[in-house]
Amino acid sequence: MTTAREIMTEGAECIGAEETVLEAAKKMTQLGVGALPICGTDDRLKGMLTDRDIVVKVLGAGKDPARCKAGDLAQGEAVTIGADDDATEILRTMAEHQVRRLPVIDGHRLVGIVAQADVARALPDPQVGDLLEALSVN
């Protein structure tokens, strides 16, 4: 069975919880990504920050992205997948939590991200179709 480690995009870069949302936006632009994991000073994952979060929760709310900390936007415990978890678990977790990107953890260390596009490239069409349907409900 295909594992998260086999289909993930390696080398995910974090934004520090104490870095500003403006710094996060610049990093997203530089890397060409729409989301960054938020990591604390303890190197543990605190959450995910998306470009949509920046627009809705910062800009749309009239907050200053140069003063707002990335960690302030982390909500509860981050939804993750283990590096050796199989495709069934990836699909279940994405659908259950309505997320399009899953940080991949090996122990407590971030080793990559499984995005919806990674799933689409790696898994058979029926499984991908089921995931897309589950994520499109809301």
Side-chain angles (χ1 to χ4, degrees):
M1 182 54 101
T2 305
T3 66
R5 188 182 311 275
E6 293 170 318
I7 67 171
M8 72 183 186
T9 300
E10 293 184 62
E13 290 194 34
C14 286
I15 189 72
E18 295 302 313
E19 292 183 76
T20 68
V21 171
L22 180 59
E23 291 167 314
K26 288 178 180 179
K27 193 171 202 174
M28 285 180 187
T29 301
Q30 174 191 8
L31 297 171
V33 298
L36 288 171
I38 303 169
C39 295
T41 55
D42 58 359
D43 279 337
R44 291 197 180 225
L45 187 67
K46 303 298 181 192
M48 289 289 286
L49 177 65
T50 66
D51 47 9
R52 186 175 193 286
D53 292 332
I54 293 171
V55 170
V56 173
K57 297 175 183 174
V58 179
L59 300 176
K63 296 179 183 175
D64 181 354
R67 294 183 183 268
C68 185
K69 303 291 184 198
D72 294 343
L73 299 179
Q75 298 176 345
E77 191 172 327
V79 177
T80 64
I81 194 83
D84 296 318
D85 287 346
D86 67 25
T88 303
E89 185 65 15
I90 295 167
L91 294 169
R92 187 197 66 73
T93 303
M94 285 181 145
E96 179 181 323
H97 295 280
Q98 294 286 294
V99 295
R100 298 173 194 277
R101 300 169 190 93
L102 275 177
V104 180
I105 304 296
D106 191 357
H108 291 288
R109 201 178 99 238
L110 178 70
V111 294
I113 301 271
V114 171
Q116 183 177 336
D118 298 319
V119 171
R121 281 190 293 273
L123 301 181
D125 288 344
Q127 288 180 306
V128 173
D130 291 344
L131 175 62
L132 291 176
E133 183 178 339
L135 293 177
S136 298
V137 171
N138 291 334

